[in-house]
Amino acid sequence: MDHAVDLKQFRYFLAVADEGSVTHAARLLGMTQPALSRAIRALETAVGVALFVRTPQGLKLTDAGKFMSHDARRLVDSADAVLTRVARFAHEGRHLRVTARGCDVDILERLVSSYNASSSERTTVRPALVEEHLQAEQIRRGEADVTLIRDPFEGQGLDSEVVTREARVAVLPDSHALAGRTEIHRSELAGETFPIWPGMTEYGTAFWTGTDLVPYEWHPGPRVKDAGQFLGSIQLGLCVGFLAASHLPRHLPNGLVVRPVTGLSPSSVHIAWAVAQVSPDVARFVRHATARREKS
């Protein structure tokens, strides 16, 4: 078997797999259909097995093709991330870009400040705020080196360590039957209505509804896009919700009460980086973050 396969061939293979058509993939890649067909045949010859099968719906991956697609995509993404990191280095010099959501700016500031004060390596650490849906993707693409990310998140292609955990609380309308209690058990909110965040995965849904430990009954409520809509929906009596204590606004809107909850999973902050990332600077920053966790 000839293993002389280059990265370009993997890109061609993934384009055909995604498009299900050599014609469409060739157009996307800016090359001719015969040239792309030859490249795919050469790849199949190199690996010694057919990667595609023709069906009435277009080209489909064989079992071997499906097996290859996962590793090939990871390899191509890793190579693209390397190029992005090198470009950042060329334009900005050696540094670590560490990101977090705006609601976790205090944790980000403490970690970056303490690292910069204690590091003898003098690697520049540049903190940045980023929207939640971009955190993991920026790490995978090499646009950031490390991120402080909360559960739930998509961890494909990432390694992570827990930095801190904090209790979540229940946010209720002040008219709720349990609003006068000093503490609530999660079971007492069984059957309640909870807001729905966009793009919630199965794990995310279980986390936000407090059913990741025990599968309590619950009902889907209003769709919300930000903290204002989340709190506003509860204020109107349309639902109840759970939130990390540190994410509560300093001045709670009228009509809302906050109560501690037992039997509810905590909100965990992870420090995350790319699986393929072997930078000593990243390793030093991760060790610094986890050492502070162990001391706290």
Side-chain angles (χ1 to χ4, degrees):
M1 183 186 300
D2 182 6
H3 290 290
V5 175
D6 62 32
L7 195 62
K8 183 166 60 177
Q9 287 174 286
F10 285 133
R11 294 187 190 279
Y12 294 165
F13 162 72
L14 291 172
V16 175
D18 290 342
E19 296 296 317
S21 163
V22 173
T23 302
H24 294 164
R27 188 179 301 120
L28 183 69
L29 293 166
M31 60 191 300
T32 66
Q33 179 179 341
L36 181 55
S37 295
R38 287 194 298 271
I40 296 300
R41 286 197 300 271
L43 179 60
E44 291 179 322
T45 299
V47 298
V49 65
L51 301 173
F52 294 97
V53 61
R54 188 172 297 279
T55 73
Q57 292 75 38
L59 292 179
K60 300 294 183 182
L61 289 169
T62 63
D63 288 343
K66 292 175 183 177
F67 183 80
M68 175 180 277
S69 65
H70 179 268
D71 287 343
R73 196 175 303 278
R74 186 171 58 184
L75 181 62
V76 168
D77 289 347
S78 180
D80 288 341
V82 169
L83 296 176
T84 300
R85 286 194 292 269
V86 171
R88 282 173 43 213
F89 176 85
H91 288 92
E92 305 170 10
R94 176 181 171 183
H95 70 282
L96 283 183
R97 186 171 191 263
V98 181
T99 66
R101 296 165 56 193
C103 54
D104 289 321
V105 66
D106 289 344
I107 301 174
L108 176 65
E109 193 279 328
R110 287 197 300 271
L111 278 179
V112 171
S113 295
S114 60
Y115 180 82
N116 284 338
S118 65
S119 175
S120 60
E121 297 296 324
R122 301 297 182 229
T123 302
T124 302
V125 177
R126 299 182 182 178
L129 298 181
V130 64
E131 294 181 31
E132 179 182 8
H133 70 281
L134 294 176
Q135 282 186 272
E137 193 57 35
Q138 284 191 352
I139 296 294
R140 285 189 281 263
R141 293 198 302 250
E143 296 170 4
D145 301 295
V146 176
T147 193
L148 300 174
I149 190 168
R150 286 190 182 252
D151 284 329
F153 66 93
E154 173 52 62
Q156 182 178 356
L158 304 182
D159 275 335
S160 65
E161 294 278 355
V162 173
V163 173
T164 186
R165 290 186 175 93
E166 64 173 307
R168 288 192 290 162
V169 295
V171 185
L172 311 172
D174 60 9
S175 59
H176 195 279
L178 299 175
R181 297 276 295 279
T182 57
E183 186 177 86
I184 301 169
H185 190 275
R186 173 62 186 88
S187 61
E188 297 178 277
L189 293 171
E192 291 280 357
T193 298
F194 289 87
I196 302 298
W197 294 91
M200 286 191 356
T201 62
E202 182 178 350
Y203 171 55
T205 299
F207 177 82
W208 285 110
T209 58
T211 56
D212 49 336
L213 299 182
V214 178
Y216 297 108
E217 181 185 359
W218 66 281
H219 302 289
R223 296 186 175 273
V224 299
K225 295 182 179 180
D226 53 41
Q229 292 182 1
F230 174 83
L231 294 174
S233 296
I234 299 173
Q235 188 176 11
L236 291 172
L238 303 177
C239 54
V240 300
F242 300 122
L243 203 61
S246 65
H247 289 180
L248 291 168
R250 292 187 178 182
H251 302 289
L252 200 66
N254 293 331
L256 294 178
V257 296
V258 173
R259 295 293 179 262
V261 184
T262 56
L264 182 67
S265 61
S267 177
S268 297
V269 180
H270 301 251
I271 184 167
W273 64 97
V275 169
Q277 176 62 270
V278 294
S279 161
D281 293 328
V282 169
R284 275 189 288 269
F285 190 82
V286 170
R287 285 197 298 269
H288 176 79
T290 55
R292 285 180 61 85
R293 173 200 65 196
E294 291 161 3
K295 292 176 182 177
S296 62

